[in-house]
Amino acid sequence: MSTPKKVCIVGSGNWGSAIAKIVGANAKKSPTFVDRVTMYVYEEMIDGKKLTEIINTTHENVKYLPGHKLPENVVAVPDLVEAADDADILIFVVPHQFIPRLCQSLVGKVKPTCMGLSLIKGFDRPEGGGIDLISNIITRLLGIQMAVLMGANLAGEVADGNFCETTIGCNDKAMAPVLKELCQADFFRVVVVDDRNTVEICGALKNIVACAAGFTDGLGLGDNTKAAVIRLGLMEMIKFVDTFFPGSKLSTFFESCGVADLITTCYGGRNRKVSEAFVKTGKSIVDLEAEMLNGQKLQGPITAEEVNVMLKAKNMEDKFPLFTAVHKICTGQIKPALLVDSLKNHPEHIELDHRSSL
């Protein structure tokens, strides 16, 4: 019988805490995993008490997931190196801009056989321009294999135990069933596909489309316009992968990481919510983020900027009019009302190869 695998969750926001409920419960009941799951928590003071102490005493993340009990075998640790010590599986669930710094602190301190699972929806922007996948950054810095988990998974609903699906992109056939066992629950259905890049890219690009959906809500344009935004946004997501990451599978877009996550985010996510307020209040994205998100970060505008750098370098902004318009609205180059013009001028269809691979 193989040695039980130790699990560490790197991050403790609302999504990190929600997945900790599932992972902790699965680790406790399965001999595949060590019972104790560590969770790296950035230390904060809450009403004069350390957040880690509150979590370990009350088993509740009172700041980021109040009202939900974490399994008692999930232990909050304020030191990342200590939390990750001897881990066989590292689950990364922090804002993507923090990954380089966090990984630097782990260099040389994780097992070479360790497997990483990224729940992070976003890109990084290398100095030379373009985009870099978060999973690739982690692999380069830590030398470990990576998988990704993306889906229509609003953290609060997952924490409530409402039924939903998710997608794990894993190209390692040996680890795929292990990751599925760790993450699946009766209400949290996991489908594993061997198309990691597409799963991860969907998780980032859908936030751009969600901003566009929020703008339409703020403008009061109704469900027909919003449906057009979602459809055209999906087409641009597919075209983006087809252009910059050839070889991916068209079928992956119809998993939870694709169309389901896109729909959910365009109706219920924070990118949509803040973008609606952006139109209605006239306040800046930065100010609204601070007012509305309780310390969380907005990914849509940052991702739109990162994608725009890549499109501009390839002289392809006109090929992705919705992505381009969202970036220009977020940066104040055009008014939100001009989003509709980008829809009117959208190509009637995008030519794609409709075989199993793009």
Side-chain angles (χ1 to χ4, degrees):
M1 185 175 178
S2 61
T3 304
K5 299 184 183 299
K6 180 182 177 183
V7 180
C8 169
I9 301 170
V10 181
S12 58
N14 64 339
W15 186 207
S17 298
I19 203 68
K21 290 187 65 176
I22 296 173
V23 169
N26 285 341
K28 191 171 185 64
K29 70 183 181 183
S30 171
T32 304
F33 309 103
V34 173
D35 179 88
R36 183 177 186 264
V37 174
T38 55
M39 180 171 71
Y40 165 64
V41 176
Y42 177 77
E43 194 68 280
E44 301 178 62
M45 299 301 293
I46 309 293
D47 296 329
K49 296 182 180 180
K50 293 180 179 180
L51 180 57
T52 53
E53 293 179 358
I54 295 172
I55 292 173
N56 290 333
T57 302
T58 68
H59 307 292
E60 180 182 352
N61 188 334
V62 294
K63 179 167 184 180
Y64 295 109
L65 197 68
H68 293 275
K69 290 293 183 180
L70 300 177
E72 293 186 6
N73 60 316
V74 174
V75 180
V77 180
D79 182 272
L80 176 58
V81 174
E82 179 186 342
D85 182 49
D86 204 37
D88 298 291
I89 299 174
L90 287 171
I91 300 175
F92 294 90
V93 54
V94 294
H96 76 278
Q97 52 267 44
F98 299 147
I99 277 294
R101 177 176 59 82
L102 291 175
C103 285
Q104 288 291 348
S105 68
L106 290 175
V107 171
K109 297 173 182 175
V110 297
K111 294 179 179 179
T113 56
C114 181
M115 183 77 184
L117 178 66
S118 173
L119 279 62
I120 301 168
K121 296 179 177 180
F123 296 130
D124 189 51
R125 182 168 56 191
E127 291 182 6
I131 62 172
D132 204 354
L133 301 185
I134 302 302
S135 61
N136 289 342
I137 295 171
I138 298 172
T139 293
R140 281 200 307 272
L141 291 174
L142 299 182
I144 62 175
Q145 288 195 65
M146 288 296 299
V148 299
L149 182 151
M150 308 282 160
N153 307 141
L154 295 178
E157 295 184 15
V158 173
D160 286 338
N162 295 345
F163 176 78
C164 63
E165 298 179 303
T166 200
T167 311
I168 291 179
C170 180
N171 298 339
D172 183 330
K173 292 183 179 179
M175 281 303 297
V178 177
L179 295 177
K180 181 171 183 175
E181 181 183 359
L182 180 63
C183 297
Q184 184 154 273
D186 288 343
F187 64 89
F188 194 68
R189 181 173 181 265
V190 176
V191 174
V192 182
V193 299
D194 60 350
D195 189 13
R196 190 193 75 187
N197 284 353
T198 303
V199 174
E200 184 168 2
I201 295 165
C202 283
L205 294 181
K206 56 94 180 182
N207 286 325
I208 304 177
V209 187
C211 289
F215 296 148
T216 66
D217 288 341
L219 293 165
L221 297 177
D223 288 335
N224 290 344
T225 304
K226 192 168 181 177
V229 163
I230 294 171
R231 190 191 77 81
L232 294 171
L234 177 61
M235 293 303 290
E236 289 195 15
M237 289 168 60
I238 295 171
K239 180 64 175 177
F240 186 88
V241 173
D242 190 27
T243 301
F244 296 105
F245 296 86
S248 297
K249 298 176 180 178
L250 184 62
S251 60
T252 304
F253 291 93
F254 298 96
E255 298 292 347
S256 183
C257 63
V259 65
D261 195 11
L262 177 62
I263 292 169
T264 297
T265 309
C266 286
Y267 278 91
R270 59 181 180 261
N271 289 279
R272 186 219 64 80
K273 181 180 178 182
V274 173
S275 296
E276 179 182 14
F278 175 77
V279 176
K280 289 183 173 180
T281 67
K283 296 180 180 179
S284 71
I285 293 288
V286 172
D287 288 343
L288 289 168
E289 184 180 65
E291 288 179 17
M292 301 173 66
L293 298 185
N294 191 31
Q296 296 179 74
K297 295 297 181 182
L298 202 64
Q299 301 297 337
I302 296 172
T303 304
E305 181 180 3
E306 291 162 349
V307 166
N308 188 256
V309 170
M310 196 168 186
L311 297 179
K312 188 175 289 186
K314 300 285 187 181
N315 196 29
M316 295 185 69
E317 286 181 293
D318 62 325
K319 303 292 186 184
F320 296 85
L322 190 145
F323 286 177
T324 300
V326 169
H327 169 65
K328 289 183 176 179
I329 292 169
C330 289
T331 53
Q333 298 178 56
I334 64 174
K335 297 293 185 183
L338 292 178
L339 173 68
V340 174
D341 290 338
S342 74
L343 305 182
K344 293 175 181 176
N345 297 324
H346 209 284
E348 289 189 12
H349 25 255
I350 298 175
E351 295 299 328
L352 297 169
D353 182 351
H354 285 274
R355 294 172 298 179
S356 61
S357 295
L358 292 176

